[in-house]
Amino acid sequence: MESMIATVTTSLTTVIGGIILFLCKRFLTAVQQREKQHEEEKRCGDELIIRTLAAIGKLSVATGTALRDGKTNGEMTAALQEYRAVEDEVYRHLVSCYASRGN
C-alpha cells in the first residue's frame, strides 16, 4: 500500500511540475512576442522620425533658397511633396499603432 501511495505521489508531482513548466514556457513566449512587436513598432517609429526630420530639413533649405533668391523653384515643390508624403505616412503609422493597442 505504501508503494502505491509513493507511486501516485511521485506521478502527481511529475505531472504538476510538467504543467507548471508548460504554463511558464507559454507565458514567457507570449512576453517575448509582445516585446518583439514593441521593438518593431519602435524601430518603424524611429525610422519615420528620421525621415520626417530629413523632409523638414529639405523644406527648410528650399524655403531659405526661395527667400534668398526671391522666387520659388522646383526644389520647393519637391520638398513640399516629400514632406506631405512623410506626414501622411506618419499619420497612418500612428493610427495603426493606436488601433492595434486598443485590441
Side-chain angles (χ1 to χ4, degrees):
M1 181 72 172
E2 287 182 25
S3 67
M4 180 88 138
I5 292 174
T7 303
V8 170
T9 305
T10 305
S11 297
L12 282 175
T13 304
T14 304
V15 169
I16 291 171
I19 290 172
I20 290 172
L21 286 174
F22 172 76
L23 292 175
C24 286
K25 183 178 185 288
R26 189 170 146 191
F27 173 75
L28 291 175
T29 301
V31 168
Q32 287 175 341
Q33 287 176 346
R34 283 193 301 267
E35 286 177 357
K36 185 177 180 181
Q37 180 182 4
H38 179 70
E39 287 173 7
E40 179 64 27
E41 288 174 357
K42 184 176 180 338
R43 185 198 60 76
C44 186
D46 291 346
E47 181 182 309
L48 282 173
I49 288 170
I50 292 169
R51 290 179 57 205
T52 301
L53 290 173
I56 290 171
K58 286 181 183 179
L59 186 57
S60 297
V61 169
T63 302
T65 303
L67 287 172
R68 181 191 67 202
D69 297 343
K71 61 181 178 181
T72 59
N73 53 19
E75 290 178 23
M76 179 70 83
T77 303
L80 279 170
Q81 288 173 345
E82 182 176 347
Y83 176 76
R84 287 184 183 132
V86 171
E87 184 180 36
D88 289 342
E89 193 173 343
V90 168
Y91 176 76
R92 285 192 306 273
H93 173 73
L94 291 174
V95 167
S96 70
C97 283
Y98 287 110
S100 66
R101 289 182 185 165
N103 291 334

